[in-house]
Amino acid sequence: MAYKHTKYIFVTGGVTSSLGKGLTAAALGALLEARGLNVTIVKMDPYINVDPGTMNPFQHGEVFVTDDGAETDLDLGHYERFVSITTTRRNNFTAGQVYEAVINKERRGEYLGGTVQVIPHITNEIKERALAASEGRDVAIIEVGGTVGDIESLPFMEAARQLRFDVGHENAIFVHLTLVPYIAAAGELKTKPTQHSVKSLLEIGIQPDIIVCRTDRPLSNEIKRKISLFCNVPPKRVITAEDQASIYALPIALHDEGLDDQVVEALSIWCRAPNLTPWEEVVQNTARPNDEVEVVIAGKYVDLVESYKSLNEALKHGGLKNRCRVKIEYLDSELLESGDAQARAALERADAILVPGGFGQRGIEGKIEAVRFAREHRTPFFGICLGMQCAVIEYARHVLGLEDAASEEFDKDSKNLVIHLMEAQKVVINKGGTMRLGAYEARLTAGSWVHQAYGERVISERHRHRYEFNNAYREQLYEKGMRATGVNPELDLVEVVEVADHPWFVGVQFHPEYKSRPLKPHPLFAGFIGAALAYRKSRTGQAAPAGGALQA
Ligand code: GLN
């Protein structure tokens, strides 16, 4: 069953959720890749949803879309940002998928005569999926979602326990992430929660090999010895994971604590010391920027940064490329509808305005207002997916004079549906996984701003939408200065619009943020932040504003 040469690292979490298991797995992946190993990372999610695509972003955070069109956990975004892999639908599976597969097999009669049970049928399905996703890699890091002690994560823990037995202890280890809280009243770091969570792991037959302790201050040797004593792990394998100012400092911080040394030793992997120069540069760039810009994001999900995880990171990457700190301000677009003075002031202050992807009508008019402000004030503007659709509506209304211009998503009765439902979507009834998802090509207009940014005529980006630019309006918009400069060749679907008479005004139907990495910032985000910087300098009298976006 096992693939002979792959080494497995299971990452489990204890004490509480939100300790950064995904980031820890990703940072460990970065360290092992920097040692020359071929690494993949897999996330097993214990919830019953088939995928997170049907969950509210408030509940779950961002839905991360893979090239092959899977709607997955946002941790996959961390994996792609820290390790040079391109994940696929195999890198994330849920209890829902596992049960669905087992029940379908049962209905087909594949277990005929047998009683279908959690052990071995569900656990076998989990193991098969984990192994298939790891195939051909030197190392597979497998993150087990949830916290030790959760009822729903038990089958996954059990599958991991069995898998270690199947592949041999020398080929699989457990890294357990816990919390070591500082209790101010006692003036002490407390190890008891860690002890308890390791006991819970032991109850289900799992002895962790390495314990990573999330903490707000370094663990003393005494604390490490204490954890070692109670948890049967040598002190050198008790690792401090102190809070970092930037997530990109994590690989180096964990390396300094010896995490990757301990992992390769425990797995008997012979490899070179890691080359961490690229990560050191990222950390230095982040800590010592030359400039700062403020980007206002006008959206609906303003309470949770998690809802726009990849977008946040991509903006930071754009900052790295320009040696500039990016201050992000979330603006509830509904406030713009009610004429809120502070919201208006935020737009006036902004060095750049971004309208992100989204669904549903709430806040739409405010988003359109944000586009209008950016267009009229020549503030750099970036519209992503729904943001691009808002840009088209705004232009049609206020430049073409089509006052009722709208998207079919919000106003089916409008006579000017400049954004309408895609043909292929008209027959779709089910909600899960039915949008236009994943990577599609766009052909870019020679000389357009996006062509210059990418340096290529044909690009591939990831999508997640049901509605599209209505080609019936393409010519009118072109005549008045909004140009379709990226088009999908198969569907003639508009992927990019630019406004000619504006320093930087770009709308894209796809989600470029999914493909941006700290070591390889996305060209559109680099360009957007570059334009923000130029705009800021022009306002403070430091330099002239950037020229027209469209050369052709
Ligand atoms: N709601 C829009 C659509 O379905 C935009 C989707 C998005 O922004 N991801 O087309």
Side-chain angles (χ1 to χ4, degrees):
M1 196 172 176
Y3 299 92
K4 221 168 156 188
H5 300 295
T6 303
K7 302 274 186 180
Y8 300 89
I9 302 167
F10 293 100
V11 178
T12 59
V15 183
T16 169
S17 57
S18 303
L19 287 185
K21 227 173 339 123
L23 273 174
T24 306
L28 174 58
L31 290 174
L32 296 176
E33 187 167 78
R35 285 173 170 266
L37 298 166
N38 176 354
V39 179
T40 193
I41 317 185
V42 181
K43 171 97 190 267
M44 311 199 289
D45 272 312
Y47 52 74
I48 306 289
N49 300 61
V50 170
D51 61 47
T54 51
M55 279 187 232
N56 183 334
F58 283 112
Q59 287 259 326
H60 182 270
E62 170 185 271
V63 172
F64 187 79
V65 178
T66 58
D67 261 0
D68 65 345
E71 297 180 290
T72 69
D73 189 81
L74 59 76
D75 277 338
L76 271 76
H78 293 313
Y79 304 166
E80 287 202 2
R81 286 187 281 273
F82 281 83
V83 182
S84 65
I85 40 170
T86 299
T87 56
T88 71
R89 58 181 65 250
R90 296 207 304 190
N91 291 75
N92 182 208
F93 57 91
T94 68
Q97 284 170 31
V98 169
Y99 276 85
E100 187 183 43
V102 169
I103 291 168
N104 286 339
K105 282 184 194 168
E106 187 274 334
R107 291 290 85 183
R108 286 197 301 270
E110 289 186 29
Y111 312 114
L112 219 52
T115 306
V116 182
Q117 295 179 296
V118 172
I119 304 171
H121 301 94
I122 295 295
T123 44
N124 280 353
E125 182 70 30
I126 294 170
K127 287 198 286 183
E128 275 164 30
R129 282 168 183 255
L131 290 173
S134 314
E135 197 176 347
R137 302 290 180 161
D138 299 329
V139 178
I141 300 173
I142 300 174
E143 181 189 344
V144 188
T147 308
V148 175
D150 292 350
I151 289 176
E152 57 186 10
S153 61
L154 271 175
F156 290 90
M157 294 287 185
E158 169 62 13
R161 184 195 67 77
Q162 291 178 16
L163 232 164
R164 158 141 78 174
F165 188 74
D166 295 345
V167 300
H169 203 139
E170 69 286 7
N171 294 319
I173 58 168
F174 279 83
V175 174
H176 186 56
L177 179 67
T178 75
L179 177 70
V180 178
Y182 180 77
I183 305 297
E188 272 177 21
L189 283 164
K190 290 294 183 187
T191 66
K192 195 73 83 188
T194 299
Q195 296 175 38
H196 280 301
S197 79
V198 170
K199 286 221 166 73
S200 299
L201 267 182
L202 287 168
E203 274 170 26
I204 51 178
I206 294 170
Q207 165 65 55
D209 300 276
I210 296 172
I211 298 177
V212 179
C213 304
R214 182 74 192 269
T215 156
D216 67 355
R217 64 203 66 208
L219 302 187
S220 65
N221 286 337
E222 190 196 335
I223 294 271
K224 287 188 175 185
R225 272 198 299 275
K226 195 166 171 188
I227 293 174
S228 159
L229 180 69
F230 281 102
C231 304
N232 328 308
V233 168
K236 63 180 182 180
R237 292 191 179 167
V238 178
I239 306 288
T240 301
E242 205 181 335
D243 300 345
Q244 300 294 321
S246 153
I247 56 172
Y248 300 122
L250 199 55
I252 291 169
L254 292 175
H255 172 72
D256 290 345
E257 272 286 303
L259 177 64
D260 51 316
D261 278 338
Q262 292 309 317
V263 165
V264 296
E265 186 187 284
L267 286 167
S268 307
I269 297 173
W270 291 96
C271 60
R272 63 166 194 242
N275 171 15
L276 295 176
T277 315
W279 290 106
E280 276 155 13
E281 280 168 9
V282 168
V283 172
Q284 269 165 25
N285 259 343
T286 308
R288 277 189 288 283
N290 295 334
D291 293 286
E292 181 178 90
V293 293
E294 190 172 326
V295 176
V296 165
I297 300 183
K300 184 168 71 165
Y301 307 119
V302 289
D303 296 334
L304 280 181
V305 174
E306 297 292 292
S307 310
Y308 294 122
K309 195 80 211 163
S310 294
L311 181 59
N312 262 291
E313 295 309 314
L315 286 166
K316 282 193 221 160
H317 305 161
L320 284 172
K321 190 76 182 179
N322 289 282
R323 295 226 48 170
C324 144
R325 174 176 296 132
V326 180
K327 213 173 127 207
I328 299 170
E329 183 174 351
Y330 280 96
L331 183 61
D332 181 350
S333 61
E334 273 183 304
L335 294 176
L336 291 167
E337 291 169 11
S338 57
D340 183 276
Q342 277 185 355
R344 177 82 187 180
L347 292 184
E348 278 163 11
R349 225 174 29 242
D351 299 315
I353 295 171
L354 190 150
V355 178
F359 297 84
Q361 178 148 26
R362 188 161 63 79
I364 276 294
E365 292 304 321
K367 291 176 192 178
I368 293 170
E369 190 50 37
V371 182
R372 180 181 194 161
F373 183 97
R375 184 178 56 76
E376 290 180 348
H377 291 79
R378 300 173 64 79
T379 310
F381 171 80
F382 199 1
I384 295 178
C385 205
L386 182 64
M388 175 261 203
Q389 298 174 354
C390 289
V392 174
I393 296 168
E394 193 280 327
Y395 213 81
R397 282 188 192 171
H398 305 125
V399 182
L400 266 55
L402 306 173
E403 276 167 34
D404 66 341
S407 163
E408 197 174 350
E409 186 176 1
F410 314 117
D411 184 359
K412 293 194 175 24
D413 299 328
S414 161
K415 296 224 164 36
N416 286 296
L417 292 174
V418 291
I419 304 295
H420 63 173
L421 191 62
M422 292 179 64
E423 199 55 41
Q425 288 291 325
K426 291 185 179 157
V427 292
V428 170
I429 297 166
N430 281 351
K431 285 279 182 245
T434 54
M435 283 187 251
R436 179 174 180 248
L437 289 166
Y440 291 97
E441 280 186 352
R443 184 171 288 280
L444 308 180
T445 306
S448 62
W449 195 89
V450 276
H451 174 220
Q452 288 176 31
Y454 281 93
E456 285 165 40
R457 285 295 300 281
V458 178
I459 56 155
S460 169
E461 292 282 3
R462 298 180 195 165
H463 298 73
R464 184 172 187 247
H465 66 120
R466 294 188 201 280
Y467 296 85
E468 64 169 331
F469 181 108
N470 182 347
N471 277 326
Y473 294 88
R474 195 142 133 197
E475 226 172 274
Q476 290 177 61
L477 285 161
Y478 184 92
E479 292 302 321
K480 295 279 187 187
M482 174 175 269
R483 295 168 185 185
T485 55
V487 175
N488 173 266
E490 281 88 39
L491 298 174
D492 196 29
L493 179 153
V494 171
E495 295 275 9
V496 187
V497 295
E498 297 181 21
V499 168
D501 180 29
H502 192 284
W504 208 96
F505 190 108
V506 176
V508 293
Q509 185 56 73
F510 47 79
H511 289 271
E513 67 272 25
Y514 290 140
K515 285 178 66 168
S516 189
R517 297 167 187 244
L519 303 183
K520 206 172 162 229
H522 192 288
L524 291 184
F525 285 94
F528 179 55
I529 299 301
L533 197 54
Y535 182 58
R536 184 185 186 102
K537 287 185 174 168
S538 79
R539 289 201 293 179
T540 51
Q542 286 184 44
L550 204 67
Q551 306 296 311

